[in-house]
């Protein structure tokens, strides 16, 4: 793999619109080289026989099945409401009519 030069890092910093000092450019040459070497190692992994997957661990559905159960009637739901209007909860208006 080709080595990363200081000019390459300066070019990348310019593309990303990042202003780096000379010391930061020198440091980033080493850090980005390590990252690129790591990516190259990962790309060499034998993956020909590995099936594609969305998650490394098997996932199971942990939700319960939907079961129809009796709920509250409108009168029961509104029984504890401080105010009601036309069979609905009455709340203060927050928007104008306009």
């Amino acid at each position: 793999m080709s080595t990363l030069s200081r000019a390459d890092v300066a070019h990348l910093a310019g593309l990303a619109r990042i202003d780096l000092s000379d010391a930061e450019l020198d440091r980033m040459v080493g850090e980005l080289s390590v990252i690129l070497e790591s990516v190259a190692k990962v790309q060499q992994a034998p993956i020909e026989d590995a099936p594609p997957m969305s998650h490394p661990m098997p996932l199971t559905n942990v939700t319960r099945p939907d079961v129809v159960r009796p709920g509250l009637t409108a009168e029961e739901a509104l029984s504890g409401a401080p105010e009601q209007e036309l069979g609905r909860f009455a709340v203060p208006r927050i928007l104008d009519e306009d």
Side-chain angles (χ1 to χ4, degrees):
M1 182 177 161
S2 63
T3 60
L4 195 62
S5 69
R6 190 172 190 272
D8 293 332
V9 175
H11 178 69
L12 289 171
L15 291 174
R17 298 182 181 178
I18 300 173
D19 188 25
L20 296 177
S21 67
D22 291 337
E24 290 172 324
L25 281 173
D26 292 333
R27 190 180 80 236
M28 292 302 288
V29 168
E31 290 179 6
L32 289 175
S33 293
V34 169
I35 292 170
L36 291 175
E37 289 170 11
S38 299
V39 169
K41 285 181 187 176
V42 169
Q43 288 178 335
Q44 294 173 356
I47 60 168
E48 292 81 25
D49 296 330
M53 60 182 135
S54 64
H55 197 273
M57 303 297 288
L59 297 177
T60 57
N61 193 355
V62 294
T63 59
R64 62 175 171 75
D66 287 335
V67 177
V68 178
R69 294 185 289 178
L72 297 175
T73 64
E75 293 79 25
E76 291 171 331
L78 291 170
S79 66
E83 293 184 44
Q84 48 182 300
E85 179 181 311
L86 300 172
R88 300 183 187 117
F89 292 99
V91 295
R93 248 183 224 288
I94 59 169
L95 300 176
D96 293 334
E97 292 292 325
D98 297 337

